[in-house]
């Protein structure tokens, strides 16, 4: 049945009655809504439909009935359709934000579809009183490493506010190579300042700031999003273009030449230093060998001289022979002091002697 209905809807979509009615109705969340569609009970082969059209969704049939009198009641979630005298009624119990849509009452008779009534129902939640969200444009150009401050101004009017919920501010970045914006920062409760207008005390302006040092990867469009009372309000966006310094071909070639020359000079210095170290080490080895040889020769000469001196020494031991003497001589000998005689002969080099 629904398939046949969709086919008929596509075939006869442009055909309307002379008494077509289209209106708009605004209600608050939680209110009851009643939509009426005229019904002629004398028509026997006529059927009435209530359908709902939501953006990016297929039409949804909420209820149907024959044009003649019937006591059938249909209920889908919190939506009820039924007959009342001369009308086909659509009743929404405690409307929700998701009930915002276009509602059509359609009459189908002998494969002909006629739009009798259309109503755009807008369900409004608690009003946060926000009248606008604006962003300041960035100064261009911006170079890598520069500090950048993003600002988002939230304008509100307390007279229209019916929601007591505080709002939160988020920062998003959209890039051409990304399919979805990415969340980069969220403000806390104390990261902003507010001021009231001197002309209208009920009007208030709150400014949110976000600072960072940028690099080449931070290019994109930055949006601030204000979430409050079940709604999300976006700012107008601020585009950040980062200008990367361009290195010319001549400068690059010149830089490469300088680097090459510095490398060559460093290599030469290392070779010279290595040669000097080698020369100093070899000189120290030669000096040490000569010193050892000289000391060895000196020691050998001293040993030879000492050996010759020892060989030239002559030792003599005197021998005294006792003989008989006269008494007078003996008496004189006692009176005479004892005399000791030592004899030593030493022979020196170069022909010198000492006795």
């Amino acid at each position: 049945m629904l398939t046949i209905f969709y086919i008929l809807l596509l075939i006869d979509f442009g055909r309307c009655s002379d008494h077509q009615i289209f209106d708009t109705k605004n209600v608050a969340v939680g209110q009851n809504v009643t939509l009426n569609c005229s019904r002629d009970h004398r028509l026997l082969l006529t059927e009435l439909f209530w359908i709902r059209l939501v953006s990016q969704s297929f039409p949804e049939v909420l209820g149907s009935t024959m044009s003649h009198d019937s006591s059938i009641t249909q209920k889908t979630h919190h939506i009820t359709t039924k007959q009342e005298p001369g009308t086909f009624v659509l009743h929404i119990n405690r409307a929700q934000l998701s009930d915002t849509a276009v509602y059509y009452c359609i009459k189908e008779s002998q494969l002909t579809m006629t739009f009798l009534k259309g109503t755009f129902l807008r369900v409004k939640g608690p009003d946060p009183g926000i009248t606008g969200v604006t962003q300041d444009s960035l100064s261009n150009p911006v170079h890598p490493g520069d500090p950048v401050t993003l600002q988002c101004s939230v304008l509100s009017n307390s007279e229209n506010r019916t929601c007591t919920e505080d709002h939160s501010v988020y920062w998003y970045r959209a890039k051409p190579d990304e399919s979805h914006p990415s969340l980069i920062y969220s403000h806390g409760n104390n990261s902003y300042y507010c001021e009231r207008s001197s002309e209208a005390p009920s009007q208030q302006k709150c400014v949110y700031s976000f600072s960072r040092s940028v690099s080449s990867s931070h290019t994109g469009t930055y949006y601030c999003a204000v979430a409050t009372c079940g709604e999300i309000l976006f700012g107008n966006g601020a585009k950040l273009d980062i200008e990367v310094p361009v290195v010319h071909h001549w400068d690059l070639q010149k830089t490469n030449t300088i680097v090459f020359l510095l490398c060559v000079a460093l290599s030469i210095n290392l070779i010279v230093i290595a040669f000097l170290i080698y020369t100093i080490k070899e000189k120290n080895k030669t000096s040490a060998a000569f010193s050892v040889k000289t000391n060895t020769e000196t020691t050998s000469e001293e040993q030879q001289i000492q050996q010759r001196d020892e060989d030239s020494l002559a030792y003599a031991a005197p021998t005294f022979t006792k003989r008989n003497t006269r008494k007078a001589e003996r008496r004189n000998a006692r009176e005479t002091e004892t005399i000791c005689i030592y004899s030593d002969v030493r022979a020196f080099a170069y022909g010198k002697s000492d006795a």
Side-chain angles (χ1 to χ4, degrees):
M1 181 65 184
L2 290 178
T3 305
I4 297 175
F5 170 76
Y6 291 146
I7 295 175
L8 294 176
L9 181 62
L10 294 175
I11 295 174
D12 295 330
F13 180 79
R15 186 173 298 178
C16 301
S17 69
D18 296 335
H19 305 287
Q20 182 187 18
I21 300 174
F22 191 92
D23 59 1
T24 301
K25 180 175 289 190
N26 296 321
V27 297
V29 172
Q31 288 185 352
N32 296 328
V33 180
T34 300
L35 303 178
N36 297 313
C37 179
S38 61
R39 178 179 60 87
D40 189 353
H41 65 280
R42 295 171 298 179
L43 301 176
L44 299 178
L45 300 177
T46 301
E47 191 172 3
L48 299 177
F49 297 90
W50 272 112
I51 66 171
R52 176 167 62 181
L53 299 178
V54 181
S55 177
Q56 298 182 351
S57 298
F58 285 105
E60 179 183 4
V61 178
L62 303 176
S64 63
T65 184
M66 299 303 294
S67 185
H68 59 81
D69 295 338
S70 174
S71 59
I72 298 176
T73 300
Q74 296 178 344
K75 186 174 182 180
T76 304
H77 302 297
H78 59 292
I79 299 176
T80 304
T81 59
K82 63 179 181 178
Q83 286 189 5
E84 289 186 0
T87 62
F88 181 40
V89 178
L90 171 69
H91 181 73
I92 302 176
N93 184 33
R94 299 180 63 84
Q96 304 173 4
L97 290 175
S98 59
D99 292 328
T100 298
V102 177
Y103 294 82
Y104 280 109
C105 178
I106 299 176
K107 180 180 69 172
E108 186 272 322
S109 177
Q110 298 178 355
L111 300 180
T112 300
M113 185 171 295
T114 305
F115 288 82
L116 299 179
K117 183 179 181 180
T119 301
F120 173 62
L121 177 64
R122 181 182 181 186
V123 183
K124 298 180 60 176
D127 190 354
I130 296 178
T131 58
V133 178
T134 60
Q135 293 181 237
D136 297 337
S137 58
L138 297 174
S139 58
N140 291 320
V142 179
H143 300 89
D146 292 347
V148 174
T149 300
L150 304 174
Q151 288 189 340
C152 178
S153 301
V154 180
L155 308 177
S156 60
N157 192 335
S158 59
E159 292 182 352
N160 301 330
R161 184 173 183 177
T162 59
C163 175
T164 59
E165 179 183 346
D166 293 334
H167 55 263
S168 301
V169 175
Y170 303 90
W171 288 95
Y172 289 86
R173 182 183 64 195
K175 300 181 67 175
D177 56 346
E178 295 179 355
S179 57
H180 300 285
S182 57
L183 176 66
I184 59 174
Y185 185 73
S186 61
H187 280 277
N189 293 331
N190 299 320
S191 57
Y192 63 95
Y193 69 91
C194 298
E195 57 183 7
R196 293 188 178 274
S197 174
S198 58
E199 299 178 356
S202 62
Q203 296 181 359
Q204 180 177 262
K205 177 181 179 181
C206 296
V207 179
Y208 296 81
S209 299
F210 168 55
S211 300
R212 73 185 311 174
S213 295
V214 298
S215 64
S216 57
S217 62
H218 293 152
T219 301
T221 303
Y222 290 77
Y223 295 92
C224 67
V226 182
T228 179
C229 303
E231 296 182 2
I232 299 179
L233 305 175
F234 285 89
N236 54 322
K239 189 175 182 180
L240 176 61
D241 292 325
I242 300 175
E243 184 176 300
V244 180
V246 179
V247 179
H248 297 287
H249 178 71
W250 168 251
D251 295 338
L252 182 60
Q253 185 177 4
K254 186 178 180 181
T255 302
N256 293 336
T257 303
I258 294 175
V259 172
F260 175 76
L261 293 176
L262 290 177
C263 293
V264 172
L266 179 61
S267 301
I268 295 174
N269 289 334
L270 292 177
I271 294 173
V272 172
I273 292 173
F275 177 76
L276 292 176
I277 293 175
Y278 175 78
T279 303
I280 293 172
K281 286 185 176 181
E282 291 296 325
K283 185 176 182 181
N284 290 337
K285 288 181 181 180
T286 304
S287 300
F290 179 78
S291 177
V292 170
K293 182 177 180 181
T294 303
N295 294 335
T296 303
E297 293 177 353
T298 304
T299 304
S300 178
E301 291 179 359
E302 290 179 353
Q303 290 178 353
Q304 292 178 0
I305 294 173
Q306 184 178 359
Q307 185 66 32
R308 286 197 301 269
D309 291 344
E310 291 179 356
D311 295 341
S312 300
L313 291 177
Y315 301 91
T319 303
F320 297 95
T321 304
K322 292 182 178 182
R323 63 180 180 178
N324 294 327
T325 57
R326 293 187 296 267
K327 293 182 179 180
E329 291 177 354
R330 294 178 180 172
R331 202 169 35 248
N332 293 334
R334 294 191 189 102
E335 295 177 356
T336 304
E337 295 180 355
T338 304
I339 300 173
C340 298
I341 299 174
Y342 299 90
S343 177
D344 182 16
V345 178
R346 181 184 298 272
F348 295 94
Y350 308 110
K352 294 182 179 182
S353 63
D354 186 9

